[in-house]
Each structure stands twice: as structure tokens, then as C-alpha cells.
Amino acid sequence: MPPKPFPQLSEDQENDLKLNTQQWALSNGLVMYPPNFEPYQVNVAPITLFPTPIPRSSFEQATKVQTLYNELYINLITKRKEWLIEILKRLAEFDSDFSGKLFDIYQKSIAEGVLQPLSLGIFRSDYMVDSSTRQIKQIEFNTVSVSFGGLSTKIGQLQTFLNTTGAYDNKYNFKYYDNDELPTSTSASDIAQGLADGNYHYNGAVENTDTIILFVIQPNERNCFDQRIVEYALFHEHGIRSVRVTLEDVNEVVTNNSGKLYVKSTMDEISVVYYRSGYGPGDYDSDPEKTWNARLFLEKSQAIKCPSILTQLSGSKKIQQLLTNESIIKQILPDIADKDLQSLLSTFVRILPFDDTEQGKEAAKLAFQEPEKFVLKPQREGGGNNIYKLDIPQFLNKIDKKDWGAYILMELITPETFENKILRNNQVFHERIVSELGVFGTILFDEQSGAIKSNKNAGWLLRSKFETSDEGGVAAGFGCVDNVYIY
Ligand code: ADP
Ligand code: MG
């Protein structure tokens, strides 16, 4: 069955809906700071007025495959460590400014022995639904600073409120969507639960509300409310407190005593270092010596890192490309059931390296002959770094051929488009959009022994952008927070 159309409202009704949406968002924290903000003034986050359709089978497959993905990345780190490290070494040479520095810190952090083998992953696997097959296809697997778990829960609550109070119905008297068509992501609570799992295992598998979580954040973060929602869930649901610090201020705020981290002013012990920063070179630029030293200082400590350097680096695009190989997956997950293997494999599109293998030669050919089908990606996170379609040939011609190895060539996914309405500032845009489904997962594991203490699903995020835009960053101004209408 095709999805039902978007609600059809009169102009007056849409104006009511808009105000209703804005005031709910402001009352409940579905907000973001505007550019150049003052700390006391927020904006409604860019959101869609209506949920966007996604086939039930696609949605279920994406949620089902998440714990398998969690395990794949963890086993890569713990069971194929030597292989991973060889690859990261090569990446470090191509990208000495960033991957290289992270790798250097990894090596320094283990030089005098590892104080904390436990490690926490809060991951998000991003997909688009391929329009012809309806299969989910992975865009990327994020292993550091995954965002929007907080706001995703909020938009689910908002749209459920609007639906239940009749605001999506032009007679104001019935629910436009059935309850099971319009679910709310539990990501805010689930990510908080992941951090609470870290706190619990730090304390020898004992509940403890004396130890705290350190949120490492960017200065002047516009998306801080998304983080605060997780922080408050952690406090309300687990009684665990948090402290926020920028990389620049770590040295001033945190101290190390016999390997353990403490907040200087209160002597609260830190159980988990949770990064919502540190994933791109820009996060270290203000004062490279200070910020990189801070990263090393935290990495060497006894606190559980979320993520560890190795976990962060395993989320690079190069690793994603290597993991599309069936025999490599079988090496990493030797006991995988055939059904699960097929399920994983069905989420991949073609990703090619630029090296001297057959695949590499193919990449060099396709990038020039059929660039309109591809996106070229460097080893970077956070949006705005990719090269699309016809820009690829001239980009490759411009850089030194020996640097091509730092990039991967990925087939473009063609998702279905929908005419939803995007609310940005006070304006409603009625345009075709494409959506990206992100599925969150948390995993607590021993980076030395490979033992997995917990491996869980943690809700989802739907992000949408105008069809005409290549990138989908919400804070960057390209996209908006959406929710699923499952049909
Ligand atoms: P980043 O690490 O910067 O987030 P991504 O790999 O997620 O990089 O790419 C950024 C955006 O580009 C995605 O959110 C998506 O909108 C678009 N994109 C990336 N890869 C593809 C692809 N294979 N097909 C279609 N769109 C893509
Ligand atoms: Mg991305």
C-alpha cells in the first residue's frame, strides 16, 4: 500500500499548526541557538511540520541490523586489531594533520600501559531508502559525537501531540496517523542509558551516583540543547550528574590523581569521558598544543572513553569501504548466521578505494567516465567535506595523484522524494525533500579482551533536506530534524 498523502490543511489551519508547533518546541526544548547567539535566546530547531513516510520493512531492517553493526565494529577493534592498526597507519600518512595526530595519540596513550580496557561506543548508522528496491543503503557509520538523539525524541513527542490533538486533521477531530504509524524515538533515554552503562561498569558493575560524566563539547555549540536533553535524562532517570568542558579548558577543569580523573573544583570522580567534540581538525585549531594535549591526557586516564581513539578512527570512510567486502566481514564475525550476513551485505552500495588494486583502477576510471553517479569522500566527519558528481574529475586533477588514496569513491544512493513542509525560522518551505534515517546503538566492551558487556539499540533519527542540496547537516543549515511515518 502506498503511504497516505500529507495532511491537507487550509491556510488558517496551517498557520495554527505553525504557531502550535513553534510554541510546543519552545516549551519543550526542541530548540537550537541561532548563529551569533546570546545565551538567553533560542530558535525553534529546523523541523518538518509533518512526519515523512518510510516503508515499515525498511525501518525494521535498519533497526534490526544495528546491534550486528555494533558488533562488527567492535570485533574489528578487538579481534582484528593488528590489521586495523596497519590500515590506520597508512591513513595517518595520507592525512597526517588529523588522522595522523589521532593515531599518534593512540600510540602515546598505550605506551605506558592501558589503565582502562573498557570502552563505550555510542554509534549511529545512517541510511537512505533506495527508491527502486526499497532497501536501506548505508551512507556512513558514525563512531564519534553522534548528534540529534535528544531532538529526535522531542520531535516524536511533538508530532504525536499534534496528531493526537487533531492538528493534522482538517476537521480537528481525528488522528490523521494511527499510533503505530507515528512512533517516538527513545534515543534521548537510550543514549543516557548507554552513558549510565559506562558509569556502572566503571564502578565494577555497581550503581554509583557519586561518579560523574564529562561531556567534552565545542565552544559556542549551537546544538547544545540536543546534548542537554541527554544530560537531563541521565540525571532524571539515573541520578547521574554531568560536567561540560571544552578541549581548551580540560587542563583548567580536570585533574589526574593516580590515573583517575577528577573535576578540580569539586573532586567529583569522572567515570566516562563523552565526546561531543574532537571529531574534526577544527576542534583543535584554536590552540593545537593545548587541545591535543588535552585529548592525550583524557585518553591515558582510567575513565572510560566514549569513544576511544581507536573506536573513533574505526569510523573512518576508509574502514567503511573495506568492510563492504564479504570475506572481510566473515573474518571479523566468524560465527555470523547466513541470514544476518545477507542482511548486512544488502545495506551496502559500491564503495571503491583509490589504490593499485583492480578496484582502485576501476575507481580511477569511473571517477572520470561516470562522475554523476558518485560522491568522493575524504577521511573527515561533520559535513561539508565531500565532493559530488561532476566536481569529482576536476578535483582529482587538481590534487597530487599520490594523495588520491586518502579518498574513497561511493556510489550515490537515489532515495524517494516527498513534498513535506520544512519550518525554518518563521518560514514554511513547501519543497521536495530527501530523508536520511540514522539508527543509534550503544555498546560497552573490553578493548583488550573483546568481551562485550552490553550491546543495544538506542532509537533513531530522521533528518531531511531539500532535494536540491547535496549535504544534509542540520546545524550547518542544510537540513532539518524530521520523524518517521511508518507505512
Ligand atoms: P559526513 O561525515 O560529513 O557526515 P557523510 O558521508 O555522511 O559525511 O555525507 C554527508 C551527506 O552527503 C550525507 O548526509 C548525505 O546527505 C550525502 N551523501 C553522502 N553519501 C551519499 C551517497 N552515497 N548517496 C547519496 N547521498 C550521500
Ligand atoms: Mg554524515
Side-chain angles (χ1 to χ4, degrees), residues 189-430:
S189 287
D190 292 348
I191 291 170
Q193 177 68 56
L195 293 169
D197 289 346
N199 187 69
Y200 174 79
H201 285 285
Y202 177 86
N203 289 294
V206 175
E207 307 281 355
N208 186 338
T209 52
D210 291 332
T211 48
I212 66 151
I213 313 295
L214 188 73
F215 281 48
V216 181
I217 55 162
Q218 295 176 336
N220 303 316
E221 171 64 82
R222 289 177 48 212
N223 197 26
C224 62
F225 304 101
D226 179 55
Q227 305 166 354
R228 288 285 190 181
I229 291 164
V230 173
E231 175 186 334
Y232 304 146
L234 192 61
F235 180 72
H236 288 302
E237 292 163 28
H238 304 277
I240 299 171
R241 292 163 299 139
S242 310
V243 165
R244 295 163 64 83
V245 67
T246 60
L247 276 172
E248 287 84 351
D249 288 346
V250 164
N251 194 20
E252 235 159 87
V253 174
V254 183
T255 184
N256 180 315
N257 191 344
S258 309
K260 293 183 174 177
L261 296 182
Y262 298 87
V263 177
K264 278 185 191 169
S265 58
T266 56
M267 284 315 276
D268 283 325
E269 185 177 343
I270 296 164
S271 58
V272 179
V273 177
Y274 173 43
Y275 287 96
R276 293 296 295 261
S277 171
Y279 54 83
D283 294 335
Y284 300 85
D285 279 352
S286 63
D287 186 342
E289 196 178 324
K290 205 174 188 186
T291 50
W292 284 109
N293 279 342
R295 186 76 199 251
L296 177 62
F297 168 80
L298 299 173
E299 191 70 19
K300 279 204 314 205
S301 76
Q302 197 172 319
I304 293 177
K305 271 69 68 181
C306 176
S308 69
I309 297 261
L310 220 46
T311 308
Q312 176 171 345
L313 283 170
S314 73
S316 68
K317 270 108 183 161
K318 181 68 196 171
I319 302 290
Q320 185 192 5
Q321 174 253 313
L322 289 163
L323 290 179
T324 55
N325 182 319
E326 180 171 347
S327 67
I328 290 182
I329 293 183
K330 281 184 179 153
Q331 285 168 26
I332 298 173
L333 295 171
D335 301 326
I336 189 170
D338 192 53
K339 167 170 102 350
D340 290 339
L341 177 65
Q342 296 313 322
S343 185
L344 268 184
L345 292 175
S346 73
T347 64
F348 301 150
V349 293
R350 260 183 116 186
I351 310 181
L352 298 168
F354 284 97
D355 54 19
D356 30 351
T357 62
E358 279 311 305
Q359 272 197 323
K361 288 178 198 151
E362 178 82 357
K365 201 171 80 188
L366 289 170
F368 289 89
Q369 287 178 353
E370 302 173 32
E372 69 282 358
K373 293 186 183 148
F374 293 93
V375 49
L376 183 73
K377 299 188 182 181
Q379 312 303 321
R380 283 283 182 280
E381 301 302 321
N385 304 299
N386 298 340
I387 297 109
Y388 293 87
K389 303 178 194 173
L390 299 179
D391 291 339
I392 297 173
Q394 61 170 9
F395 179 85
L396 287 174
N397 280 331
K398 207 177 63 197
I399 63 172
D400 213 325
K401 203 160 182 180
K402 69 169 174 35
D403 293 331
W404 287 15
Y407 295 80
I408 53 138
L409 189 71
M410 182 178 196
E411 196 185 331
L412 280 168
I413 305 157
T414 316
E416 211 173 335
T417 64
F418 290 97
E419 238 175 76
N420 201 339
K421 292 189 173 173
I422 292 182
L423 177 64
R424 175 177 280 284
N425 299 324
N426 202 27
Q427 227 183 330
V428 176
F429 297 86
H430 191 196

Side-chain angles (χ1 to χ4, degrees), residues 124 126 139-140 142 317 381-383 436 463:
R124 200 187 68 216
D126 291 337
I139 292 196
E140 67 161 339
N142 300 282
K317 270 108 183 161
E381 301 302 321
E436 194 170 326
R463 248 180 332 167

